[in-house]
Amino acid sequence: MNSAQAAGRNIRRLRTAAGQSLADLAAAADVSKTTLHGLEQGEGNPTLSTLWALATALGVSLGELLEPPAPPVAVVRADEGPRADGDAVHARLLHRIAVRGTVEVFAIEVDAAEQASQPHLPGVSECMVVTGGGIRTGPSDAPVDLAEGDSVHFGAASPHLYQGLAGRNTAVLLMLHPAPQPGGPGGPGGPGSPGSPGRPAGAA
């Protein structure tokens, strides 16, 4: 499924869920009914401004229009991902992650030695975008090798690992923590907390 087909499917799904007719949405987004019909059929190459107008009219984010179905471990290579182009801004959707809680953003370097990470609390996930070199990461029983520009999103409530594959390996790592339940454990711990990238498994 290409990006135009994914966007068309999502537009049709969201419009139907909102109880809007084709004409209603076209009028709200200030696009022609013919254009909207073509987009829903996966035809054409919608501009960034058209997609923003449709997202606004539907009351959703731009990413929700572009997002294809994602597997439990979602890898996006440097030349993949739905794209939308404007006059000056060229966007590539890597991952769309729904979270109600806290997102921690780390700049990390990963050495060649393999580091095991303890499971995080239930509901915690990680999203890594490799910015230099190469990194092996993901669930311990099914890690993936990432090159510069590749990204991955996976649930981190099970054992996982990190290993650099080149001389210098850098990435941006997002750790997504759901809001803690009243009276229960949870919340972000930051680098060095159990299971975080700064604390190997077995550390006290």
Side-chain angles (χ1 to χ4, degrees), residues 68-160:
V73 177
V75 178
V76 178
R77 300 298 179 184
D79 60 349
E80 298 175 341
R83 297 176 183 268
D85 298 297
D87 293 334
V89 178
H90 307 279
R92 179 168 68 98
L93 179 66
L94 300 181
H95 304 274
R96 182 175 176 275
I97 306 167
V99 61
R100 179 169 296 178
T102 302
V103 179
E104 298 174 331
V105 182
F106 299 95
I108 67 171
E109 292 192 26
V110 183
D111 297 334
E114 181 179 308
Q115 176 176 311
S117 180
Q118 300 175 27
H120 293 286
L121 295 171
V124 175
S125 66
E126 296 187 10
C127 182
M128 180 186 291
V129 182
V130 177
T131 55
I135 297 174
R136 176 173 296 143
T137 191
S140 297
D141 59 353
V144 294
D145 291 353
L146 305 174
E148 181 176 343
D150 294 348
S151 64
V152 65
H153 174 231
F154 61 91
S158 60
H160 47 289

Side-chain angles (χ1 to χ4, degrees), residues 27-39:
D30 195 25
V31 300
S32 73
K33 186 176 175 180
T34 300
T35 297
L36 179 57
H37 176 72
L39 294 179

Side-chain angles (χ1 to χ4, degrees), residues 179-186:
Q181 297 297 316

Side-chain angles (χ1 to χ4, degrees), residues 167-193:
R168 184 168 186 263
N169 311 286
T170 59
V172 174
L173 175 66
L174 281 69
M175 297 184 66
L176 303 107
H177 302 264
Q181 297 297 316
S193 63

Side-chain angles (χ1 to χ4, degrees), residues 34-57:
T34 300
T35 297
L36 179 57
H37 176 72
L39 294 179
E40 289 195 355
Q41 298 304 310
E43 302 168 354
N45 186 25
T47 65
L48 186 58
S49 58
T50 296
L51 291 171
W52 270 119
L54 288 166
T56 299

